[in-house]
Amino acid sequence: MILTVTLNTALDITYRVRALRPHASHRVSEVTERPGGKGLNVARVLAALGHEVTVTGFAGGATGRVVQDRLTATPGVVDALVPVTGATRRTIAVVDERTGDTTQLNEPGPTVTPAEWSAFQEAYGDLLASASAVALCGSLPPGVPVGAYATLVRSAKAAGVPVLLDTGGEALRRGIAARPDLIKPNADELAELTGSHEPLRATQDARRRGARAVVASLGAQGLLAVTPEGRWRATPPTRLHGNPTGAGDSAVAGLLSGWVERLPWPDRLARAAALSAASVVAPVAGEFDRRTYEELLGRVAVTGEVTAA
């Protein structure tokens, strides 16, 4: 079982409009709702790839009940969310059909009490006992300590469970010090962490800060990996247009699935890059276009070298 952790779960709501204009009224052509938050998006992609996945984090209020109801209907995903008294947040994505651009509005999430945080840590420890790998994903809701991910990384390592960390800001800075097996920052998160906008230098710096391996997501330029086994770059053959929300989460699912399947690094990166690109043409986060994925998988260019880094 693969475990994904989403401390700040959400109900993702996507509106599609003909053209988004400031200060104007819009007629919505289509509305979709999905359980959201980075780890839940990762879990849906993993389940679509045939893996057994358990999701945990927090859920509360009417929105939380909707999220859990939708999870029940998701094949291959087991709900182990921990209840809180506050209401789960909503995220609103507005897709401009004319340009393909997406405008995102993210609520902060519920305030988690110390007792609720303690209950989560106990539940998390129990779930680690049967996990083959764990992904810690996304932002922290109010009330959760900024060092929360460092705590969860240490718990996973103590249980002998490989751990991937995908977050940003101070949560990433604290979490990387606990030495996760893999981090997956995007270009902005990497620059904020290291102070460098040069991808290879920043990725190497991030690894020196504590991560065993670093895979940086560079948008249309693909993925850059610095690992103990070598350095590689994975580049999709073409740039696809659509909704990029969730593309990074699909990349995490590709990396995590390749990890538990013990694929070589170049194959893991090719899968992650193809999934990320295929999710751009899917209508909502946490999904990917399977035909596009299969077409791209064999065409992702992976270059690099084996090293003794």
Side-chain angles (χ1 to χ4, degrees):
M1 176 269 286
I2 298 175
L3 177 64
T4 72
V5 175
T6 313
L7 296 178
N8 211 3
T9 54
L11 180 66
D12 286 346
I13 303 169
T14 302
Y15 294 137
R16 301 185 70 87
V17 300
R18 181 183 292 273
L20 182 62
R21 302 183 307 276
H23 316 298
S25 178
H26 297 78
R27 186 176 296 277
V28 176
S29 61
E30 183 182 357
V31 181
T32 57
E33 292 185 353
R34 294 288 189 281
K38 294 177 72 65
L40 269 62
N41 294 337
V42 171
R44 286 204 301 278
V45 175
L46 284 169
L49 293 171
H51 288 273
E52 295 182 358
V53 192
T54 296
V55 297
T56 191
F58 296 112
T63 307
R65 288 192 292 274
V66 173
V67 167
Q68 292 188 283
D69 287 345
R70 297 293 178 89
L71 283 175
T72 301
T74 305
V77 176
V78 175
D79 171 15
L81 294 172
V82 175
V84 291
T85 55
T88 295
R89 67 187 177 130
R90 298 163 297 178
T91 66
I92 311 297
V94 183
V95 179
D96 185 319
E97 295 177 337
R98 180 189 58 185
T99 65
D101 292 337
T102 301
T103 299
Q104 193 84 15
L105 303 173
N106 297 327
E107 296 179 357
T111 297
V112 176
T113 67
E116 290 166 342
W117 173 234
S118 294
F120 170 79
Q121 291 181 81
E122 183 176 348
Y124 173 72
D126 291 341
L127 290 167
L128 286 174
S130 55
S132 57
V134 58
L136 308 175
C137 304
S139 62
L140 301 176
V144 171
V146 70
Y149 282 136
T151 299
L152 300 183
V153 168
R154 293 187 188 100
S155 295
K157 292 177 74 66
V161 179
V163 56
L164 182 155
L165 176 61
D166 182 18
T167 188
E170 189 62 22
L172 175 58
R173 192 178 307 277
R174 300 282 188 95
I176 198 173
R179 300 188 176 277
D181 295 277
L182 174 62
I183 65 168
K184 205 276 324 152
N186 61 32
D188 291 339
E189 291 163 346
L190 190 61
E192 183 180 4
L193 174 68
T194 66
S196 174
H197 291 272
E198 199 289 307
L200 180 58
R201 181 181 304 152
T203 303
Q204 291 172 324
D205 185 10
R207 186 164 178 252
R208 285 192 293 268
R209 290 168 183 258
R212 186 169 187 272
V214 180
V215 177
S217 179
L218 305 177
Q221 283 70 52
L223 302 172
L224 176 62
V226 176
T227 81
E229 292 81 16
R231 296 192 293 265
W232 292 274
R233 189 157 196 156
T235 308
T238 185
R239 181 170 185 168
L240 301 176
H241 297 281
N243 180 4
T245 306
D249 303 332
S250 293
V252 168
L255 293 169
L256 206 57
S257 62
W259 192 345
V260 299
E261 293 172 30
R262 301 184 183 279
L263 297 181
W265 268 107
D267 293 343
R268 298 184 207 180
L269 295 167
R271 178 184 289 182
L275 281 170
S276 181
S279 70
V280 171
V281 298
V284 294
E287 296 182 1
F288 63 96
D289 184 88
R290 188 169 290 274
R291 177 179 294 181
T292 301
Y293 165 64
E294 292 171 352
E295 289 176 351
L296 291 177
L297 183 58
R299 298 170 58 207
V300 174
V302 181
T303 58
E305 59 181 348
V306 176
T307 69

